[in-house]
Amino acid sequence: MFGNQFNDLSKRFRGLINVFTKAQRSRGVALAAVANVYTPDFSAGIFFNFTPGANFTLANPTNMPDLGDHQSGSFFITQDATGSRTITFGNKYQAAGGISTIVLSTAPNTKDRIDYVVGPLGNVHVSIAKDIKA
């Protein structure tokens, strides 16, 4: 009945200032590995959770925002009962001092959070909070 009228809403309202009167929330997306590679789909959410069972790669995200647009969120990573899992990154990830500065905690069952912001040129800037505890 409405055809494509509502398909372009995100483009139609791009550039407008949004004022939110309530908190904006997003459910965490559970990531599953294929051959020890986790590939986040940035259209599925902004928060991602996983527990690697081996050393792994965080691949470049799919469905990145358009160039010039931004997105931010977090990866919540829990070491399994073995621990010592290491991370490598796809080539779109960048960090202060270089991506090699992002090193996970190694103790079993440790929780780390990697925060990200997609920059205007499509790179994913990351920083880490390690060994998160109550």
Side-chain angles (χ1 to χ4, degrees), residues 1-76:
M1 175 175 175
F2 293 105
N4 289 330
Q5 181 177 0
F6 296 108
N7 291 344
D8 297 317
L9 283 179
S10 66
K11 291 179 183 173
R12 190 171 302 182
F13 293 108
R14 182 172 286 153
L16 296 179
I17 297 172
N18 294 310
V19 177
F20 297 104
T21 59
K22 302 254 183 196
Q24 303 303 299
R25 296 182 174 98
S26 175
R27 292 191 185 276
V29 176
L31 289 182
V34 175
N36 297 319
V37 175
Y38 293 87
T39 305
D41 177 353
F42 276 7
S43 69
I46 58 174
F47 299 116
F48 301 90
N49 312 302
F50 58 100
T51 301
N55 296 336
F56 67 97
T57 298
L58 188 58
N60 291 333
T62 60
N63 296 308
M64 295 272 288
D66 293 336
L67 287 181
D69 290 346
H70 300 276
Q71 177 175 327
S72 61
S74 300
F75 298 101
F76 296 90

